[in-house]
Amino acid sequence: MLDEQKKKVLKYALEAEKMGLCRHRSGNFSLRDEATGLICITPTGVDRNEMSFEDIVVMNQQAQVVESINGHRPTSEAMMHLRIYEARPEVNAVVHTHSKFAVTFAILKKEIPAIVYELMNLGCKEGYIPVAPYGRPGTMALAESVIEPLGISDVVLMESHGVVAVDKEIKEALLKAAYVEELAEIYYRTLTVLGPGKEPACVPNEELQKWAYPKEIRFN
């Protein structure tokens, strides 16, 4: 069932590992099939480097496992994925990572501002990457914690935890999570150079919202 979708989930979960966005058994990934509404999601307790696409679990949106070929349980944070799909019906992919620089700011409960223009690629309507309040992993409190910040951004820092990124395509959701880590590292290094109590200049949100493909470029 949904073998192509399962293969995509595994492909981008492994890509996240190679990129250093999460290691070993941390993080989780899912993809919703538009035709059926079923969700292919990574299992709990399985090392990605030892995972096959048949280890990917299929669930419905009522949290019922409808297929688990190898008997695996879905990630313990499955309810967060399901709640996101409910709140953001246009989203078909959820990526949750534990990248180091981003987690540093998540621990500090510190939003990442628009230090570079690339923030506009992350769906940040207010001009910053927000922080979701703490929720214990595996609980509905965690699932609910990300919903409000995902109303203003496609990427969210999860307090003392990690990053969640959403998109219509899983490749793009992973790319957004990678951008968060890159921006977090740039911000961290900038703050280190500036010294205690100082903040860098940021791109105003109104400037971010003005971006458009250049009208001067023409096609025959």
Side-chain angles (χ1 to χ4, degrees), residues 42-198:
T42 46
T44 188
V46 181
D47 193 308
R48 277 182 291 276
N49 290 314
E50 299 172 357
M51 196 182 294
S52 77
F53 79 93
E54 291 184 330
D55 291 316
I56 304 300
V57 179
V58 181
M59 305 178 67
N60 64 25
Q61 296 189 62
Q62 290 72 49
Q64 180 180 5
V65 174
V66 299
E67 183 182 72
S68 180
I69 293 173
N70 292 329
H72 295 304
R73 295 179 296 171
T75 172
S76 62
E77 290 170 350
M79 297 310 299
M80 177 182 73
H81 291 247
L82 298 181
R83 185 69 182 88
I84 290 170
Y85 290 130
E86 179 185 20
R88 295 280 303 267
E90 82 283 8
V91 162
N92 287 326
V94 176
V95 165
H96 170 45
T97 58
H98 289 189
S99 54
K100 294 178 181 177
F101 285 95
V103 170
T104 299
F105 289 106
I107 291 168
L108 295 171
K109 308 179 198 177
K110 188 171 177 58
E111 299 159 348
I112 298 177
I115 48 172
V116 293
Y117 206 89
E118 280 72 16
L119 191 85
M120 54 81 61
N121 293 316
L122 305 179
C124 299
K125 298 176 183 177
E126 302 297 330
Y128 62 87
I129 299 171
V131 181
Y134 176 77
R136 187 184 315 126
T139 65
M140 282 305 299
L142 175 75
E144 291 295 339
S145 73
V146 301
I147 300 306
E148 184 174 348
L150 280 173
I152 62 167
S153 176
D154 289 343
V155 293
V156 173
L157 302 179
M158 302 164 67
E159 182 185 333
S160 301
H161 192 152
V163 174
V164 65
V166 302
D167 198 272
K168 192 172 179 63
E169 302 290 339
I170 193 168
K171 177 181 179 180
E172 295 301 316
L174 178 60
L175 183 59
K176 287 175 179 177
Y179 272 133
V180 171
E181 178 64 2
E182 183 175 335
L183 290 171
E185 181 174 1
I186 293 168
Y187 188 37
Y188 178 89
R189 295 187 184 282
T190 302
L191 291 174
T192 300
V193 171
L194 288 173
K198 296 182 179 179

